[in-house]
Amino acid sequence: MPRGVVPIVILPGFLNTDASYASMATNINTWIHQYTDDACTSDIRIVKFSLRDWIKVILGGDMTVYLDRLEEVVTDVFETHGGDVPVRLVGHSAGGWIGRLFLGSAPYQQKEYGVKNCGKVCSLITLGTPHKSIEDYPFGRFDEKLDLPPSVRLEKQSSLQFCNYFYPRGDEFEGVRIVCVAGDAIQGEKTLSPNLRNLDNVLAYQAYKAVCGDGSVTGDSVTPVCIALLEKAHDNIILPGVWHGTRPKRPWYGSIHVLDTWAFHLLYPLEFDTL
């Protein structure tokens, strides 16, 4: 059985801070030890991004601060292990498409993140990521001031639209395996019942409608399945009963028993039968 270290970088989702993923990091580390019978260990880092940082994004800021910090973490963990052990990225929610943005070769705000860093990464696993969101939020959103080539016309001035314009599929990043994971826990319902028992369904309806235009679909309560998967990804995984984030008695992507359904991809390119 292969032995060694598995470097992993977790990319926080929208309005989540790095502290939100401490338990996930612990669970992944535990899972790797158990799955490999202690043949492998992990070096898990989390991109630091605060609520204040997210507020700047909400007000029209671009993703360069996030991408710069991601680049620093990826470079550090890559060099820590001699520059020959590839890094695995795990992006939760918006962190997933930000990971795609990071790996891409097109200049973003005059910076070529992918050109410098794609070779350091072997995989990106996205968890509940609204890859194909229409971004039709009820209260609107501020346009980002993106530095675009004259020939590029985006429907909306957003980094996500930039990402989907240049990298619409899961096979756009040479040498990097893209895996998309989507929770399928709840269907949206438009009308609230008198006893309020379907409140979660109604909240899911509003969330789904904002990102895909149809609130009655199913998903993880925030991201519907229909926009969480990418054409030509190495693997698209749908997880019944898995929710978007952490809540008591509800399994989410980072729950220890849910890791069995997707975390084996973290061991690529090590040679295990399940890969």
Side-chain angles (χ1 to χ4, degrees):
M1 179 175 287
R3 293 181 177 272
V5 65
V6 181
I8 299 167
V9 176
I10 297 175
L11 287 65
F14 184 62
L15 291 182
N16 287 307
T17 68
D18 45 292
S20 306
Y21 297 90
S23 62
M24 170 187 267
T26 299
N27 287 347
I28 291 175
N29 182 60
T30 299
W31 183 92
I32 288 176
H33 278 280
Q34 293 176 346
Y35 188 88
T36 67
D37 292 328
D38 292 324
C40 294
T41 187
S42 63
D43 182 356
I44 304 177
R45 316 286 180 90
I46 308 171
V47 178
K48 293 189 180 298
F49 215 67
S50 68
L51 185 58
R52 179 176 296 181
D53 293 324
W54 281 119
I55 291 174
K56 292 177 182 178
V57 172
I58 293 172
L59 297 177
D62 59 40
M63 299 309 304
T64 53
V65 172
Y66 193 121
L67 293 170
D68 286 345
R69 293 180 188 173
L70 173 57
E71 182 176 52
E72 291 175 4
V73 176
V74 167
T75 300
D76 182 64
V77 71
F78 185 69
E79 293 179 350
T80 294
H81 300 288
D84 57 1
V85 182
V87 180
R88 289 78 164 166
L89 303 182
V90 177
H92 174 239
S93 198
W97 65 257
I98 295 171
R100 290 164 56 214
L101 194 62
F102 176 72
L103 296 170
S105 57
Y108 174 81
Q109 303 298 69
Q110 301 184 12
K111 296 187 177 184
E112 297 180 330
Y113 292 99
V115 173
K116 295 186 293 181
N117 298 290
C118 197
K120 303 171 186 174
V121 175
C122 66
S123 63
L124 166 64
I125 302 175
T126 70
L127 309 173
T129 294
H131 288 294
K132 300 297 182 178
S133 173
I134 61 175
E135 300 184 290
D136 189 18
Y137 307 118
F139 301 104
R141 66 181 306 280
F142 289 92
D143 282 343
E144 299 172 43
K145 295 180 180 179
L146 298 179
D147 187 2
L148 300 172
S151 59
V152 175
R153 295 287 187 271
L154 301 180
E155 184 177 339
K156 295 181 179 180
Q157 289 286 304
S158 82
S159 295
L160 174 56
Q161 300 304 316
F162 177 100
C163 185
N164 285 330
Y165 179 90
F166 286 101
Y167 324 113
R169 304 187 309 275
D171 63 348
E172 307 281 353
F173 315 104
E174 185 176 356
V176 180
R177 176 180 287 191
I178 305 297
V179 175
C180 302
V181 185
D184 192 0
I186 188 169
Q187 182 171 14
E189 295 180 11
K190 186 175 183 179
T191 304
L192 187 63
S193 64
N195 59 15
L196 307 182
R197 288 183 179 178
N198 69 337
L199 178 59
D200 285 335
N201 302 81
V202 173
L203 293 175
Y205 180 95
Q206 297 300 324
Y208 299 162
K209 189 174 187 299
V211 293
C212 78
D214 183 358
S216 63
V217 296
T218 64
D220 64 10
S221 78
V222 173
T223 301
V225 174
C226 58
I227 64 168
L229 310 176
L230 286 174
E231 180 186 358
K232 295 191 176 180
H234 173 79
D235 199 2
N236 282 312
I237 303 171
I238 299 175
L239 303 180
V242 171
W243 296 75
H244 191 79
T246 56
R247 284 182 62 179
K249 299 182 180 180
R250 288 185 176 179
W252 81 294
Y253 301 102
S255 299
I256 188 69
H257 66 280
V258 175
L259 294 179
D260 284 328
T261 63
W262 64 265
F264 59 89
H265 281 294
L266 291 171
L267 300 178
Y268 169 80
L270 299 176
E271 295 180 0
F272 288 84
D273 292 339
T274 55
L275 302 182

